[in-house]
Amino acid sequence: MTEKTFETQSASSFSVDKAARRTDDLLGASRLTPNWVRNWRTPEVLLRLLSPIALLLLWELASQAGLIPQRVIAAPSQIGGTLWAMIVSGELGKHLLVSLQRALLGLSIGVSVGVVAALITGLSKRGEVILDSPMQMLRTIPSLALVPLFILWFGIGEFTKIALIVTGTTFPVYLNLFAGIRNIDPKLIEAANTLGLNRRELIWHVILPGSLPSFFVGLRYSLGISWLALVFVEQINTTAGIGFLASDARDFMRTDVIVICLLIYSVLGLLIDGLIRTLERFALAWRPSFVRN
């Protein structure tokens, strides 16, 4: 064996021993590391928050550098300070309560009217002939086009504001629930007739549960429309409400208050939509698509 060959084998043996010792060190360190550390995975929620946080930081830096003037939009720090001051003073809570009362009252009345109308037209051919045509005619009229007429009829008080929200939230529920009732699987009707169910039992045990998914779709649409209508109606001779805050802030060029009002609209809409989704999950627990994993 030559001297050069011996040196090569010695170097390779040293490399193998070094790699083996490094592997043993890593294995020893992994044994000492707790299981929850080794199995840690960054939650998806935190990953989703990275881009919004980055945007806020860029927004703040651009505002502090003067690249984004305050008259265009306020800095996030200023918006946060204004929000905290409005919460502490109770001003935000007062206006928020007024807006919630308007939106929920108009939504509840509109949904009730839509459900009753859909049951009449969906469960009765005669009811469809009598009621569906007027409902379709009223549906095609934009709610905002009724403002001058409503003001002439009812004045500019709270009744007009609630009535405009009602007209906007009635038809999504009506259309979706009517379609849900009429699109019940005929095989379910045949099975119910085979089991000897009378008309009342058929409606209660088959038609109404089968149309619930369509009802919740319409309810979520009505929820979105109620917030859109609320933004508009609170610009009409109001002295309280989130829309009044935004309108007043516009006159004084308070972009921080306007952004706060927009955030409140979006957060409240998201929370109420989440509440409806939770109710939907419990009401439709019998559907395969709503079975929990």
Side-chain angles (χ1 to χ4, degrees), residues 206-269:
V206 178
I207 295 178
L208 292 184
S211 61
L212 272 180
S214 299
F215 165 74
F216 280 110
V217 171
L219 182 60
R220 294 178 67 186
Y221 273 115
S222 294
L223 171 65
I225 292 175
S226 69
W227 288 118
L228 292 176
L230 182 67
V231 173
F232 178 79
V233 301
E234 287 191 334
Q235 311 288 327
I236 306 174
N237 191 40
T238 53
T239 57
I242 302 300
F244 166 76
L245 272 181
S247 178
D248 188 61
R250 176 199 61 201
D251 296 336
F252 292 96
M253 299 183 66
R254 293 290 305 275
T255 56
D256 52 348
V257 178
I258 294 176
V259 172
I260 289 172
C261 294
L262 295 177
L263 288 175
I264 290 173
Y265 279 128
S266 60
V267 170
L268 284 179

Side-chain angles (χ1 to χ4, degrees), residues 1 5 18 22 35 71 94 118 123 156 164 248 254 274:
M1 180 181 298
T5 304
K18 186 177 180 181
R22 184 179 300 174
N35 290 331
R71 61 181 177 80
K94 179 187 70 173
L123 299 176
I156 54 177
L164 288 171
D248 188 61
R254 293 290 305 275

Side-chain angles (χ1 to χ4, degrees), residues 93-159:
K94 179 187 70 173
H95 293 287
L96 180 59
L97 181 60
V98 173
S99 293
L100 280 176
Q101 289 175 344
R102 288 174 180 150
L104 295 179
L105 180 58
L107 179 65
S108 60
I109 296 175
V111 169
S112 300
V113 173
V115 168
V116 172
L119 292 177
I120 293 174
T121 57
L123 299 176
S124 171
K125 188 66 177 178
R126 183 177 300 176
E128 180 183 4
V129 171
I130 296 173
L131 189 58
D132 186 64
S133 295
M135 292 294 291
Q136 297 298 337
M137 292 172 62
L138 291 173
R139 180 178 68 86
T140 58
I141 301 176
S143 300
L144 301 183
L146 297 173
V147 172
L149 190 60
F150 278 19
I151 291 178
L152 289 176
W153 285 351
F154 312 120
I156 54 177
E158 287 296 312
F159 188 88

Side-chain angles (χ1 to χ4, degrees), residues 9-24:
Q9 290 179 350
S10 300
S12 63
S13 300
F14 177 76
S15 300
V16 171
D17 293 340
K18 186 177 180 181
R21 286 196 300 271
R22 184 179 300 174
T23 303
D24 292 339

Side-chain angles (χ1 to χ4, degrees), residues 18-84:
K18 186 177 180 181
R21 286 196 300 271
R22 184 179 300 174
T23 303
D24 292 339
D25 292 341
L26 292 175
L27 291 175
S30 64
R31 293 191 191 98
L32 296 176
T33 305
N35 290 331
W36 68 271
V37 175
R38 294 200 301 268
N39 298 329
W40 170 260
R41 296 291 184 274
T42 304
E44 185 178 356
V45 175
L46 295 180
L47 294 177
R48 287 179 176 272
L49 289 176
L50 290 179
S51 55
I53 291 175
L55 289 175
L56 285 176
L57 290 176
L58 291 175
W59 179 5
E60 179 68 27
L61 292 175
S63 298
Q64 296 297 336
L67 298 177
I68 302 179
Q70 184 178 349
R71 61 181 177 80
V72 175
I73 191 169
S77 58
Q78 182 180 351
I79 294 172
T82 303
L83 175 62
W84 177 251

